[in-house]
Amino acid sequence: MTATEAPIFTAWDQRDAQLWQTQPVRLAHRLHELPLFSRAGLAALIERYPSQHYNLVHMGPAGQRRFWREGEIGNLSGAEVLTAIEQGRIWINLRNVAKIDPAYRDLLKQIFVELQQRMPGFSTFNEGIGILISSPNAQVYYHADLPGQALWQIAGRKRLYLYPNTQPFLAPEHLEGIALFGHEMDVPYEPWYDEYAKVVELQPGQMMHWPLNAPHRIENLDCLNVSMTMEYWTDDIRRRHIVNVANGILREGFGIAPRSRATAGPAFLAKKVMQKALRNRDWSPKDKPKRGRPPVDFRLDPARLGQIVDLKPAGA
Ligand SMILES: [Fe+2]
């Protein structure tokens, strides 16, 4: 079966279109039935995926938060990579799969054609999808994203916690920090926030879309997980981004607490010009340098799937 033979969304209620922007919406899909997402299809994709376009992360021992190392798959086959993830504490993110592979590009196009058919006026650009394959019990910590976001579950089960995109769960300075420095994970989290979360257990064939910037975190259940992350921009999201960058520059660079988050009018236009001129300077506070990609320092162990081998640092 190809992606184009039948709709990707297998159920759509009129109210889903009405709820799309302001509430978390769970939809049914059939990606998990496509050969592109079968175990063999994913193994083949991993084997042809350029290493500069994936992140392979080892999470460290259980219970150690944020001890992340980046690595490479080495000479494992795609099937062995999947087994290693199934048996280890690893995730691989095939970022931007639609840019790398035409079959996934066609799928992305079809998804947005269907969304536009169901929501006339839903006009997007810079759409992207990534495939995230992660170990049993892996977690994604509390964070917020700038573009529109959805999560498609393809294999395994995970629990998604979605929080309101308002204070105290998310403040303007957090969005500014993400826009200016890429500090997605620096949004503070308190365990009691969970009392205000919408908690959804996602299974294959379900997709979740949530309101813009809504903070979220994810816990895999005790099984290998395959998910697809999707993002997109609209004119409104782009305008909000411009405000986040400009207000961040005002706050961090000039010590001014911005009062307006307007996305139209003279103040917005002034910010648009200002941030374009200044956004490429390094505005990072000295104690929070801009994050770069950590160096690759391990390889998957071909002899013990799920384990890793340390790479010697260059020059050592
Ligand atoms: Fe996210």
Side-chain angles (χ1 to χ4, degrees), residues 72-114:
E72 56 184 40
I73 64 177
N75 55 9
L76 271 67
S77 68
E80 286 171 330
V81 171
L82 291 172
T83 304
I85 298 172
E86 200 161 28
Q87 296 180 359
R89 291 181 42 76
I90 304 163
W91 49 261
I92 191 168
N93 184 11
L94 308 172
R95 308 185 311 265
N96 237 331
V97 66
K99 263 211 178 122
I100 305 297
D101 194 285
Y104 296 87
R105 189 178 314 147
D106 292 346
L107 172 75
L108 176 65
K109 262 190 214 150
Q110 187 180 343
I111 288 170
F112 278 87
V113 165
E114 289 185 28

Side-chain angles (χ1 to χ4, degrees), residues 109-130:
K109 262 190 214 150
Q110 187 180 343
I111 288 170
F112 278 87
V113 165
E114 289 185 28
L115 287 172
Q116 277 146 22
Q117 283 167 351
R118 290 165 168 91
M119 295 185 288
F122 181 62
S123 176
T124 59
F125 55 91
N126 284 357
E127 305 89 352
I129 47 176

